[in-house]
Amino acid sequence: MDKLIPATVQDGSARAQITDKKADVLLENALSALASGTRRGIVQSFPIKGADGKPSSVAHLLPVRGSAHDLFSRMNSILVVMPLPGPGAPPVKVLQALFDLTPSEARIASALADGRTIDAIGMDFGIARETVRSHLRSIFAKSGVSKQSSLVRLLLGVTLPRPGS
């Protein structure tokens, strides 16, 4: 986290704050949902824009539960920020882990990043166009974007570290 302070994460009066205002609102909402018990035990993930306006990181809010409360008795969650090193869409399993997507949602997100249309995805996967659109709405909610083009840009900005780097 030291490398992310103060450009990405800052120390606020009551909690850590993210310099990307949209991401900070998502963090605030996620913390409120955890505190109220409406999202108890659910990991929440969202993108953080960098200085150039492109996603630079993905934040994961991990709830503290079970025996972890023995170590973290005064916390209800832990914030983990994963930097995104460069262009290129990651494998489906990585998309699932980064954005808490279901396997179907991750396959659809990956297909969109590959440049396929909603109609083509429906035909390829043998599902109705409206089913693809329903999955897409869920993907938007989980990834923190609201447009298909923004989702594709986000996904193409996610890469895996190369061996030895």
Side-chain angles (χ1 to χ4, degrees), residues 1-76:
M1 280 292 244
D2 286 344
K3 292 180 182 179
L4 299 175
I5 299 170
T8 304
V9 179
Q10 296 176 342
D11 188 18
S13 59
R15 63 172 178 83
Q17 295 180 317
I18 299 174
T19 56
D20 172 13
K21 297 300 180 202
K22 186 174 180 181
D24 193 57
V25 168
L26 292 171
L27 174 61
E28 176 68 27
N29 292 341
L31 287 167
S32 295
L34 275 175
S36 70
T38 57
R39 300 268 308 185
R40 181 174 291 139
I42 300 173
V43 174
Q44 296 179 66
S45 303
F46 44 90
I48 299 173
K49 287 184 184 173
D52 59 1
K54 295 179 184 173
S56 65
S57 310
V58 175
H60 303 281
L61 188 64
L62 310 171
V64 175
R65 53 187 174 201
S67 60
H69 277 287
D70 294 344
L71 292 174
F72 305 107
S73 61
R74 294 177 33 197
M75 291 197 286
N76 66 2

Side-chain angles (χ1 to χ4, degrees), residues 91-113:
V92 170
K93 291 280 187 192
V94 173
L95 291 177
Q96 276 183 259
L98 279 176
F99 299 106
D100 307 320
L101 302 177
T102 66
S104 295
E105 291 167 350
R107 284 191 1 248
I108 289 169
S110 180
L112 283 170

Side-chain angles (χ1 to χ4, degrees), residues 48 113 147 158:
I48 299 173
K147 296 180 188 174
V158 175

